Amino acid sequence: MNLIQHPELLERIASSYALGTLRGGARRRFEAMARDQAPVRAAALIWQARLSSLTELQAQVAPSTTVWTRIDNLVRGDLEAKAQAARRLAAQSGAAAQGFASWLQSLALWRGATAAGAVATVVAVAAGFQMRDTVQQQLAGEIGQLQAKLQATPQIEYVAVLADDKAAATMLVTFDAKSKKLTLQRVGGYQEADDRSLQLWALPPAGGPRSLGVLGQEKLLRLTAGDGDVREVPTLAISLEPKGGVPGAGGPTGPVLFKGALIQKLL
């Protein structure tokens, strides 16, 4: 199936890939398609960026003290049951020498151990149900927070994955028409020298390259751009320029390091 022709399915599979729920052969097939198809690769990178930012904002939650108390009770109950069983076996080993009275004593220990084991089992089952309810409540709260944060995420209209001449992805570019922001995230290991700057260019079908801004050395940065700066622009490119960049009217003066197709999202 061509996932590019089914954008809704592509979004679902890309989100499952980023969450780690896509496994086995399906995950390997998706990774193979991502290596060959820029839209599939872009969808995976977008979802990975979304979820990584959410986990950074998610506050850590310490387990309740009652959880540790229940765990301690389960451990103590298990140790007590094992001790009772050990005493029962010791009593049974001496039953042949002690006669009928010792046998009766061993029988009593057996019943006591059985009763203790039954009580421990009941306590463990009850504690398990309580822990399950607590975990479900915590998960429900976290899912609600995650859904609220996803609804507040930018409305991405365009996306591009810029790669070098060896097809190694280096920069993920997204455009939010609502906020008029270009967001660039470094996804490779390239780092320019201190006396150099990377500059982003739009390569329209007609006319010369247009500068969209000079990039800093941050891993994640944003540039202001209008809808007309990116609409109907098939390709974006990044060149290596002197510190501070060059005037946009003359086009790039240094080598073009990264290039990629600008794709309009259908969802």
Side-chain angles (χ1 to χ4, degrees):
M1 177 182 292
N2 188 348
L3 288 179
I4 300 176
Q5 297 178 357
H6 300 80
E8 184 175 356
L9 178 59
L10 173 58
E11 288 291 311
R12 289 202 301 267
I13 296 178
S15 63
S16 297
Y17 177 81
L19 285 168
T21 56
L22 187 67
R23 299 175 181 174
R27 188 176 185 88
R28 291 191 293 271
R29 287 192 295 272
F30 181 79
E31 290 174 342
M33 285 188 287
R35 287 193 294 268
D36 298 334
Q37 302 178 35
V40 177
R41 185 163 61 249
L45 290 171
I46 289 172
W47 273 102
Q48 288 173 339
R50 285 177 176 174
L51 295 177
S52 63
S53 62
L54 292 178
T55 54
E56 292 174 359
L57 296 174
Q58 180 67 39
Q60 295 184 353
V61 178
S64 171
T65 55
T66 59
V67 174
W68 297 114
T69 302
R70 291 167 185 158
I71 293 174
D72 183 64
N73 290 338
L74 288 173
V75 173
R76 290 178 183 274
D78 183 62
L79 292 175
E80 179 63 23
K82 291 180 178 179
Q84 292 283 0
R87 289 194 293 269
R88 173 181 58 79
L89 291 174
Q92 286 180 342
S93 65
Q98 295 178 359
F100 186 70
S102 297
W103 179 82
L104 290 177
Q105 185 179 7
S106 298
L107 181 60
L109 288 173
W110 167 264
R111 291 176 176 174
T114 303
V119 171
T121 301
V122 172
V123 172
V125 171
F129 279 117
Q130 292 177 349
M131 291 179 65
R132 182 198 63 184
D133 294 340
T134 301
V135 172
Q136 286 179 344
Q137 291 175 0
Q138 292 177 349
L139 286 177
E142 292 176 0
I143 290 173
Q145 294 176 2
L146 180 60
Q147 290 175 340
K149 291 176 180 178
L150 284 176
Q151 291 176 355
T153 55
Q155 301 299 315
I156 297 174
E157 187 173 349
Y158 290 89
V159 63
V161 178
L162 307 188
D164 58 19
D165 55 0
K166 297 181 180 179
T170 304
M171 192 80 67
L172 172 65
V173 183
T174 58
F175 176 66
D176 182 4
K178 183 178 180 181
S179 63
K180 294 181 172 56
K181 291 292 183 181
L182 274 168
T183 301
L184 296 94
Q185 179 178 351
R186 295 176 185 250
V187 295
Y190 180 83
Q191 187 66 52
E192 64 274 20
D194 292 338
D195 61 344
R196 296 288 178 177
S197 293
L198 297 180
Q199 191 161 351
L200 180 66
W201 301 87
L203 306 181
R210 299 198 308 267
S211 175
L212 297 178
V214 179
L215 312 185
Q217 295 188 343
E218 300 89 347
K219 187 175 181 64
L220 182 69
L221 56 95
R222 291 178 174 84
L223 301 174
T224 301
D227 186 71
D229 294 328
V230 297
R231 186 173 294 279
E232 297 182 0
V233 172
T235 307
L236 296 180
I238 292 179
S239 64
L240 184 64
E241 304 294 348
K243 188 70 175 180
V246 297
T253 63
V256 174
L257 302 181
F258 315 112
K259 185 184 295 184
L262 183 63
I263 303 168
Q264 184 175 14
K265 285 173 57 62
L266 301 179
L267 293 178

